[in-house]
């Protein structure tokens, strides 16, 4: 696409609340009905996600933290010190200080769509690491974005934590990995957390916890629509459902209508029959070999891989395309 075409597109692609409304209209009108998990993370949703990461059933965050604290030195030995650390979708990562200590990067670039969250966590990190240049970038890491000028001449290591890649279908994940390889440039490294396939009960429990926090997190999406798009959704008529789809190797989260419901969103009428669901999230899981194949398909070469003592979660390090000489 020419630069001119890209420029003029800006005027027709909706953004912010318009984009949310457009996507909600389309998702609630399609069959099956869907809403994208990217809309989970308003202020309330981000708080609920933080609570999820501390749940006994949600092993992912704990496992990745343990892997990082046990192997950070080894990771640093491979990447070498002095790279710019680029964190894709940083949120309020508790894992970041572990990596900053071990990798001794020459700059840190957290990238997140939530500007508020980004400023807060960047400020907190600046206090802990006063000598480290921090360059936050407000962007959707799924889009093409540009790295700050300050890190243009530094070798990079990307970090994509938490198995967030699990939200993408395989073709989307491959496209994302290829785009990331282009953004991070020659001789880059990528450190990526990828959750593994395991016992079904264990997987389902992680997405349907006993305290009902994940249910609240899922239902908050309907509350957000009511709050931000003047919706009249009877939230209490919906129930949180988490299922393991073995053929697709993914956890699916849905919101199921327990009775026939009618409501409006920004003035538009929707009817959902009892038993119908809104599909809100996929969380793909990979066997270790599949994870490496995924990285290769995305243009990366796996170099090393670490796991926790139970083998629940994988942390992989890969290298990007070699420079042309
Ligand atoms: C942030 C996408 C990695 O899929 O495990 C947690 C989100 N959803 N509980 C995941 C989530 C329900 C999480 N990711």
């Amino acid at each position: 696409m020419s630069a001119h075409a890209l420029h003029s597109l800006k005027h027709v692609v909706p953004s912010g609340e318009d984009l949310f409304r457009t996507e909600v209209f389309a998702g609630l009108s399609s069959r099956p009905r869907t809403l994208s998990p990217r809309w989970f993370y308003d202020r309330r949703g981000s708080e609920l996600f933080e609570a999820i990461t501390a749940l006994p059933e949600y092993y992912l965050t704990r496992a990745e933290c343990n892997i990082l604290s046990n192997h950070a030195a080894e990771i640093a030995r491979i990447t070498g010190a002095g790279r710019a650390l680029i964190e894709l979708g940083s949120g309020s990562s508790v894992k970041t200080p572990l990596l900053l200590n071990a990798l001794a990067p020459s700059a840190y670039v957290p990238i997140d769509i939530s500007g508020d969250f980004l400023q807060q966590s960047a400020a907190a990190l600046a206090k802990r690491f006063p000598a480290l240049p921090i360059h936050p970038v407000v962007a959707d890491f799924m889009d093409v974005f540009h790295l700050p000028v300050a890190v243009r001449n530094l070798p990079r290591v990307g970090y994509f934590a938490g198995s967030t890649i699990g939200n993408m279908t395989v073709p989307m994940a491959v496209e994302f990995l290829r785009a990331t390889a282009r953004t991070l440039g020659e001789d880059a490294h990528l450190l990526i957390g990828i959750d593994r396939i395991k016992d079904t009960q264990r997987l389902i429990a992680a997405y349907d916890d006993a305290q009902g926090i994940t249910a609240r997190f899922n239902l908050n999406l309907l509350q957000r629509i009511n709050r931000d798009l003047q919706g009249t959704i009877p939230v209490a008529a919906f129930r949180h459902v988490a299922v393991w789809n073995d053929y697709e190797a993914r956890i699916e989260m849905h919101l199921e209508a327990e009775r026939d419901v009618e409501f409006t969103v920004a003035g538009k009428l929707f009817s959902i029959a009892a038993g119908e669901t809104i599909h809100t999230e996929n969380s793909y899981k990979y066997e270790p070999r599949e994870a490496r194949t995924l990285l290769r398909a995305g243009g990366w070469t796996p170099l090393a891989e670490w796991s926790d003592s139970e083998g629940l979660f994988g942390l992989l390090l890969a290298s990007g395309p070699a420079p042309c000489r």
Side-chain angles (χ1 to χ4, degrees):
M1 191 183 287
S2 72
H4 176 260
L6 241 178
H7 178 77
S8 51
L9 253 183
K10 277 193 178 158
H11 302 287
V12 291
V13 174
S15 65
E17 197 181 297
D18 284 350
L19 182 60
F20 185 36
R21 194 194 329 101
T22 304
E23 283 206 20
V24 168
F25 279 7
L28 290 183
S29 308
S30 70
R31 300 300 137 83
R33 298 177 202 264
T34 56
L35 291 170
S36 163
R38 59 193 289 230
W39 302 111
F40 280 142
Y41 303 93
D42 64 350
R43 183 163 284 278
R44 181 76 189 120
S46 300
E47 282 167 12
L48 286 166
F49 180 69
E50 287 295 297
I52 286 173
T53 64
L55 287 170
E57 297 96 333
Y58 196 78
Y59 57 85
L60 289 83
T61 312
R62 234 174 351 263
E64 190 172 22
C65 275
N66 284 334
I67 300 168
L68 272 181
S69 37
N70 290 334
H71 302 289
E74 208 181 329
I75 297 166
R77 226 174 296 133
I78 302 174
T79 65
R83 286 178 180 263
L85 175 62
I86 319 290
E87 188 167 5
L88 304 148
S90 56
S92 70
S93 181
V94 286
K95 299 151 202 155
T96 310
L98 283 170
L99 260 190
L100 293 177
N101 276 323
L103 293 189
S106 51
Y108 173 56
V109 181
I111 299 170
D112 204 276
I113 19 174
S114 165
D116 284 0
F117 238 62
L118 194 60
Q119 288 309 331
Q120 269 178 34
S121 44
L125 275 177
K127 276 199 190 124
R128 271 183 82 170
F129 298 89
L132 177 71
I134 301 179
H135 309 281
V137 174
V138 180
D140 185 341
F141 53 75
M142 289 300 289
D143 298 338
V144 176
F145 61 89
H146 295 284
L147 290 175
V149 180
V151 304
R152 287 253 162 100
N153 296 316
L154 297 170
R156 291 101 189 220
V157 53
Y159 180 37
F160 195 37
S163 199
T164 299
I165 197 158
N167 275 169
M168 304 172 201
T169 62
V170 171
M172 279 167 65
V174 168
E175 196 191 327
F176 163 79
L177 288 167
R178 289 187 170 271
T180 303
R182 277 194 301 275
T183 307
L184 295 187
E186 289 181 349
D187 276 341
H189 284 159
L190 178 68
L191 187 63
I192 180 168
I194 304 184
D195 195 21
R196 292 181 171 176
I197 297 173
K198 60 186 62 64
D199 174 71
T200 304
Q201 287 320 307
R202 182 116 199 216
L203 280 170
I204 291 177
Y207 293 86
D208 195 6
D209 62 280
Q211 291 170 63
I213 308 286
T214 310
R216 275 200 257 167
F217 174 71
N218 198 7
L219 288 160
N220 175 61
L221 191 42
L222 300 181
Q223 274 144 358
R224 179 179 185 181
I225 292 170
N226 284 351
R227 280 192 296 266
D228 295 356
L229 302 176
Q230 305 93 277
T232 63
I233 304 173
V235 178
F238 287 85
R239 106 187 152 90
H240 166 69
V241 179
V243 291
W244 171 247
N245 180 335
D246 193 62
Y247 189 77
E248 300 285 352
R250 69 191 190 202
I251 283 280
E252 295 177 8
M253 297 208 316
H254 295 259
L255 291 162
E256 183 186 331
E258 296 191 282
R259 56 172 173 85
D260 293 353
V261 290
E262 275 204 347
F263 56 84
T264 60
V265 175
K268 188 175 156 71
L269 183 68
F270 294 93
S271 339
I272 301 186
E276 261 194 85
T277 78
I278 306 167
H279 186 176
T280 52
E281 185 170 46
N282 288 320
S283 206
Y284 285 81
K285 311 296 174 185
Y286 293 88
E287 300 288 5
R289 195 193 301 270
E290 295 176 324
R292 296 195 294 272
T293 303
L294 179 70
L295 285 174
R296 289 201 177 90
W300 295 87
T301 304
L303 296 175
E305 181 174 357
W306 300 272
S307 190
D308 51 285
S309 57
E310 290 184 87
L312 299 173
F313 191 92
L315 184 67
L316 291 89
L317 183 66
S319 63
C324 307
R325 292 185 216 279

